[in-house]
């Protein structure tokens, strides 16, 4: 018997409706350096979400060759603009730019992606108002589906600063026992088979196969990959025959990431009041 597909689109729509109902006067500013096609797709998703919840949105484009000083000057301008509620600098950045310099220049109260070291520290210590969008979206999905986290063994495959590390700590804060796996983990399949909640966030198409998942596990697929011209996750979808719950790609975690961004814009507005 196949498990249940967690409908991220449905939960995200509910969250957007909740955000819209609060009727806050918010404006999201997005900075794009260059013309990365995938970045443009993601930005359009954020713009659409802003329109749906009634937020203002403005895109600030800089050329691929923009100097660090130009990016810094734009961030300073937006930091000082009282009409701007949240600032997001779309990644990836061109190689010549200093990522850390960009992220630390953001006003922490406008950092709706929760990437400034100050916000990361607050989030990891359980004191943060602004939370990393994708990890927070994963936790929200689990809770809104009524899936128990406390006491469960969670295995997170991936250790990125954006997803793997913060999600592992957020699961720990929810009283799960957490194992983090990565490219140098020995016997990855054995580690995954121990998981009550298995999260795949590595960016390798269909890395997690059915023989790596125990019966009735909950599987959260964060990966977004292209294979054969189609979008797929880090988990082979046949895993659903063993999993109790599983997120699809697309339509699972992705919509929750954008919905959480809308929630962060509201929180940022409150921090600036």
């Amino acid at each position: 018997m196949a498990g249940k597909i967690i409908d991220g689109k449905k939960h995200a729509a509910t969250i957007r409706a909740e955000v819209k109902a609060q009727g806050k006067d918010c404006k999201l500013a997005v900075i794009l350096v260059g013309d990365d096609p995938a970045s443009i797709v993601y930005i359009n998703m954020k713009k659409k979400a802003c329109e749906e919840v009634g937020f203002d949105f403005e895109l600030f484009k800089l050329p691929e060759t923009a100097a660090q000083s130009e990016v810094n000057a734009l961030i300073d301008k937006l930091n000082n603009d009282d009409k701007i509620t949240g600032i997001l600098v779309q990644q990836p950045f061109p190689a010549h730019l200093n990522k850390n310099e960009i992220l630390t220049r953001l006003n922490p109260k406008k950092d709706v992606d929760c990437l400034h070291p100050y916000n990361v520290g607050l989030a990891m210590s359980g004191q943060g108002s602004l939370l990393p969008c994708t990890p927070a979206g994963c936790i929200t999905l689990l809770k809104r589906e009524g899936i128990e986290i406390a006491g469960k063994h969670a295995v997170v495959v991936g250790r990125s600063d954006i997803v793997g590390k913060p999600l592992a700590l957020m699961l720990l804060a929810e009283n799960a026992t957490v194992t983090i796996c990565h490219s140098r983990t020995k016997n990855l399949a054995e580690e995954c088979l121990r998981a009550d909640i298995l999260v795949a966030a590595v960016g390798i198409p269909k890395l997690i196969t059915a023989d790596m998942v125990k019966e009735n596990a909950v599987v959260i697929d964060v990966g977004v990959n292209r294979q054969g011209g189609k979008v797929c996750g880090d988990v082979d979808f046949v895993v659903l025959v063993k999993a109790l719950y599983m997120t699809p790609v697309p339509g699972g975690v992705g919509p929750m990431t954008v919905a959480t961004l809308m929630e962060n814009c509201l929180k940022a507005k409150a921090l600036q009041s």
Side-chain angles (χ1 to χ4, degrees):
M1 181 177 177
K4 179 183 177 182
I5 295 174
I6 300 176
D7 189 345
K9 290 183 178 179
K10 179 189 74 174
H11 288 297
T14 301
I15 292 169
R16 291 195 303 272
E18 292 168 356
V19 170
K20 184 176 182 179
Q22 296 190 47
K24 297 289 185 180
D25 182 21
C26 296
K27 181 174 181 178
L28 175 63
V30 175
I31 299 172
L32 174 64
V33 185
D35 294 295
D36 178 66
S39 292
I40 292 171
V41 170
Y42 292 135
I43 288 169
N44 285 335
M45 291 168 60
K46 293 161 188 173
K47 180 182 180 181
K48 183 179 178 182
C50 283
E51 291 171 348
E52 184 175 340
V53 301
F55 292 171
D56 289 334
F57 175 94
E58 188 168 356
L59 174 62
F60 295 84
K61 291 187 68 175
L62 293 174
E64 181 87 17
T65 55
Q68 186 79 45
S69 58
E70 291 180 77
V71 180
N72 291 350
L74 178 54
I75 292 172
D76 290 345
K77 176 184 175 183
L78 299 177
N79 280 342
N80 294 317
D81 186 341
D82 292 338
K83 294 180 181 178
I84 302 295
T85 309
I87 306 170
L88 186 156
V89 188
Q90 186 67 44
Q91 298 192 61
F93 307 132
H96 68 279
L97 295 178
N98 185 315
K99 174 182 174 181
N100 291 332
E101 187 174 335
I102 289 172
L103 298 181
T104 57
R105 201 169 191 94
L106 292 168
N107 178 347
K109 292 182 178 181
K110 295 188 177 186
D111 170 35
V112 288
D113 242 357
C114 192
L115 294 175
H116 190 290
Y118 176 78
N119 287 332
V120 171
L122 286 178
M124 295 310 98
S125 63
Q127 303 174 64
S129 176
L130 300 173
L131 298 172
C133 295
T134 298
C138 292
I139 297 293
T140 301
L141 267 185
L142 292 171
K143 290 183 174 180
R144 292 200 175 219
E145 282 288 329
I147 296 168
E148 184 71 31
I149 302 175
K152 297 298 179 65
H153 184 185
V155 174
V156 178
V157 185
R159 54 177 171 177
S160 72
D161 292 337
I162 295 176
V163 180
K165 290 177 185 176
L167 180 52
L169 288 170
M170 291 172 77
L171 287 164
L172 192 62
E174 296 291 336
N175 297 312
T177 298
V178 182
T179 298
I180 303 176
C181 297
H182 46 80
S183 59
R184 296 191 182 183
T185 297
K186 295 181 179 179
N187 303 317
L188 178 61
E190 291 180 22
E191 296 292 346
C192 291
L193 281 166
R194 298 167 57 210
D196 301 309
I197 300 172
L198 177 61
V199 181
V202 286
I204 300 176
K206 301 180 182 180
L207 172 68
I208 306 298
T209 52
D211 60 339
M212 299 169 70
V213 179
K214 78 176 183 180
E215 293 286 345
N216 295 324
V218 175
V219 181
I220 305 296
D221 191 351
V222 184
V224 179
N225 312 287
R226 287 201 171 271
Q227 190 175 61
K230 294 183 178 181
V231 174
C232 67
D234 290 351
V235 181
D236 190 332
F237 204 69
V238 298
V239 163
L240 190 61
V241 301
K242 294 179 74 176
L244 185 63
Y245 291 90
M246 181 174 168
T247 60
V249 177
V253 174
M256 291 299 295
T257 298
V258 180
T260 304
L261 176 65
M262 299 300 102
E263 289 185 308
N264 276 353
C265 286
L266 275 184
K267 293 174 182 177
K269 179 74 173 180
L271 289 173
Q272 295 159 48
S273 300

